[in-house]
Amino acid sequence: MARQSKRMGRSLTYVLDNASTEHLSLYLQQPDENFAVVSASLSSIEDHDEDSLRNVFAADLSKLSLEDLQPIETESQRIYLLAEGKGPDSCPPVLKRHLSNEEFETWQSQPDDLCRAIWLHVKHRKAFDDCVAFRNAREWRKAEHAFSALDVPLEENFGFVGDDVPEVELLTAIQKKLKLSKRCGISVIDLPKNKDYPASVMAIVRHGGRKSSVAEHPDDGSRRLHYFLPQDEVVLIFTPSSQRLEVCAQTAEVRSAVSETFAKVALKHDISSKPLTWANYDTSRFLQSLELDAPEVPGFLIERAAVTEIELRVGQWERRLKLRVPFRDDISQFLEQTIGHKRILRRALGVSRIAFSIKFTRDGHDVAELLEFAISDRNRCNLSANVDSELRRLGRALLSHWGVMQPFRDLDHSEIDALLPILAELFDLGEDKISAQFFEKRGVDPTRLVQAGLLVRHSAEPILIEDIDAEQDPPSQDSRVVYQVKHGWLEQRLVDALQGLIDDRPRAQSDRDFVKIGSARFGDQSVPCYLCRGLSDTNRYMQADGKFRQDVSTLPGIVFTGKEIGWEHIGPHVVIPIVRSGTLPTTGNVLTASDVEAAFRTGLAAALGAEKVSLEPGPGKQLILKVPGKPHLPVDGEHQQNCIRLLVEDHHRGGVGVETSALLGNSSSKSVGQLFGTRWDAIKDTYVRNVRRKFWALST
């Protein structure tokens, strides 16, 4: 019977309605701290038949709060994943590695898939976690943002099984590559051949993520921060027969780092001489011509190569013009006969999809074969899905010859140094999409940034076709390209530029504009370092300033910005632009440790101290309140400035206090706290104190 409860979530209700009472009791009363509250709330289960016991459990759970039920709802969601869909099929390959024959038979003997998932959750949690990870990996193959597939060029008939993975050596290398402070965990599983995939080896690597924090609300109503490292997961699947390595992770930089480390350590592959195949695809050449030549490729004789399908974006990116022809037809000739081949290509914004057909014979064979694959926008090519490694090699050789495929080439340290000004500016802008004209105005060729994965061709700026004469050339196609910025890669490259300065510590990100990247060490002093964007905007500056001031446990540190923002400090921290206009360090664009230490020492005195209480002009129309021993306080807006000015004047008269009505003046605020809005928590008692009822003074 389906149960209705506003407190119980859908997954917990599913378990409650469908599991046997024996397994339900086992699940709810398991020795897990997340189940402690639930287990303690259950009534005695004696003298109840199956139906009545289920009702007893439902009644007990309905009495609990949402907060108490949340942990068990989260675990029930994972139970559901293994009980439905691809979940049951995901378990056997993993469990044969974890369980003994007797334990595996016991798992199989459970009444149904849900009971098997519950039994596994209670009895063998690590095996359960690995089953969920494998099940998710099967889904992630459809998710472009989390999944990548690449080729590892190894010798033919390369044999590899799970026992060949040097787990300790691999984990040590991954920890060093990702600059982790704590050890990683790993599970290695042999995946048997099935109807969809050949035999493979799966490695699940679990590591500490970016340092995070949560504010606890104790019984006394105070605020207590807890810092912790959330666990992140990387799933790698290597298929020896196709020499294909698939990797699932949340960020592109982690996918790249872990896959290269796995290839180097586990597969003993020399990535310096034979790099892994990460590719960018540029289809802009097909706006000039759709003709393809047939080059010589070792091992193949190519009879004909042709474009059989093209999707153009015309006028605006939302407008699609799609054409598909059979392999025997010439697509260029058909276009010319119908709508004008050259005219439509010259006026198209870009190619969002193009398909190829290749007729060939293999060396030593007489039978001709046909290879078909396609490239679509957002940098996707279905050639990687071909299980024949030789056909993938043929396809990539052709794409490289035609100038379509551009292999991934990361920036080296000298290139990061040279490109640092543009990288810093892109970071500070924080825009997801940037036009080619942005780079033209700055004299920068974006091609190298595309090759390094920092930019991806996304779309093109619209043109008005009716305004262009039939014989007139439209604006340059290269100047109309719109690029998507890969912020994860961009942020990582800026951190790399500071690697000689920042300790190797996990980063913590509270939002997209505010990232803790580690700490700098000046002698015996450890100084926290942050990377922030958009602080030249007054509203963003005030928001970030409030965040820094609310965390009273934060030590004075350094905030790196993409450009000069007009402020020398924010909260208790010194602001240091990564690139300074006019006065770059002598070692190029990258700041040196001595540059940063000198700027920090000089700026810290201004950020934390003042000889006397004063209210001085700041950037723009803002004023700065300076109080000895405290961070400078920016004051924005006429009414807030009048309030602080009266308090400063009162301080110089002896600090007897100013009445609330005088501080509010002609503002619409009803209280001093309302006048300062969200910043009041950081200002009250630290800068402004209540001396008696309705009277306020500066805190010094």
Side-chain angles (χ1 to χ4, degrees), residues 11-12 14-15 27 30 32 34-35 70-84 87-88 91 113-114 116-118 120-122 124-136 206 231 233:
S11 298
L12 177 55
Y14 166 82
V15 173
Y27 178 61
Q30 62 177 298
D32 183 321
N34 289 323
F35 286 70
Q70 184 57 52
I72 193 172
E73 169 63 21
T74 301
E75 290 304 307
S76 298
Q77 291 171 3
R78 303 206 304 150
I79 292 286
Y80 179 83
L81 288 177
L82 284 195
E84 299 290 339
C91 294
D113 291 330
L114 175 57
R116 279 188 279 273
I118 291 175
L120 196 61
H121 184 276
V122 176
H124 298 276
R125 182 64 65 84
K126 189 174 188 299
F128 176 89
D129 292 340
D130 287 350
C131 289
V132 173
F134 179 42
R135 188 265 182 204
N136 288 338
R206 296 182 174 93
Q231 188 178 79
E233 200 171 69

Side-chain angles (χ1 to χ4, degrees), residues 159-198:
F160 190 80
V161 295
D163 289 337
D164 295 330
V165 177
E167 296 185 9
V168 176
E169 183 183 358
L170 177 61
L171 289 182
T172 301
I174 290 175
Q175 182 177 347
K176 182 178 180 181
K177 184 73 174 179
L178 295 180
K179 302 177 181 179
L180 303 174
S181 59
K182 293 188 177 182
R183 291 185 299 175
C184 307
I186 189 171
S187 297
V188 179
I189 298 150
D190 288 296
L191 303 178
K193 178 181 178 180
N194 59 35
K195 61 186 179 78
D196 297 318
Y197 300 102

Side-chain angles (χ1 to χ4, degrees), residues 313-320 349 462:
R313 302 300 181 104
V314 184
Q316 296 180 0
W317 198 255
E318 293 78 13
R319 297 173 181 168
R320 303 172 186 240
L349 294 176

Side-chain angles (χ1 to χ4, degrees), residues 29 49 88 93 114-115 127 140 146 168 210 213 291 379 414 426 485 487 564 588 625 681 693:
Q29 296 181 316
D49 58 24
L114 175 57
C115 292
W140 285 344
V168 176
R210 293 176 169 179
S213 65
E291 300 294 333
N379 207 40
S414 62
L426 283 173
V485 181
H487 289 285
E564 296 188 45
L625 173 63
D681 287 342
R693 188 172 183 270

Side-chain angles (χ1 to χ4, degrees), residues 648-667:
V648 171
E649 293 172 354
D650 172 70
H651 172 78
H652 292 316
R653 293 194 300 265
V656 296
V658 182
E659 193 172 1
T660 300
S661 58
L663 296 177
L664 298 179
N666 60 356
S667 72

Side-chain angles (χ1 to χ4, degrees), residues 482-500:
V482 175
Y483 297 95
Q484 181 178 4
V485 181
K486 296 297 185 180
H487 289 285
W489 280 108
L490 180 61
E491 176 193 310
Q492 182 62 43
R493 294 303 163 262
L494 291 177
V495 174
D496 289 343
L498 302 169
Q499 65 178 349

Side-chain angles (χ1 to χ4, degrees), residues 2-48:
R3 302 174 192 279
Q4 303 295 325
S5 173
K6 293 182 179 179
R7 292 193 177 97
M8 286 190 290
R10 181 179 300 177
S11 298
L12 177 55
T13 302
Y14 166 82
V15 173
L16 187 62
D17 285 343
N18 296 283
S20 71
T21 53
E22 177 185 353
H23 287 80
L24 190 57
S25 178
L26 186 71
Y27 178 61
L28 297 177
Q29 296 181 316
Q30 62 177 298
D32 183 321
E33 63 179 350
N34 289 323
F35 286 70
V37 174
V38 171
S39 180
S41 67
L42 297 179
S43 305
S44 173
I45 62 175
E46 297 180 359
D47 301 327
H48 288 285

Side-chain angles (χ1 to χ4, degrees), residues 505-527:
R505 296 188 179 183
R507 291 174 289 153
Q509 183 164 352
S510 61
D511 58 45
R512 176 172 155 177
D513 300 330
F514 169 63
V515 186
K516 183 175 182 181
I517 58 176
S519 58
R521 185 161 293 280
F522 304 138
D524 295 332
Q525 185 179 8
S526 181
V527 179

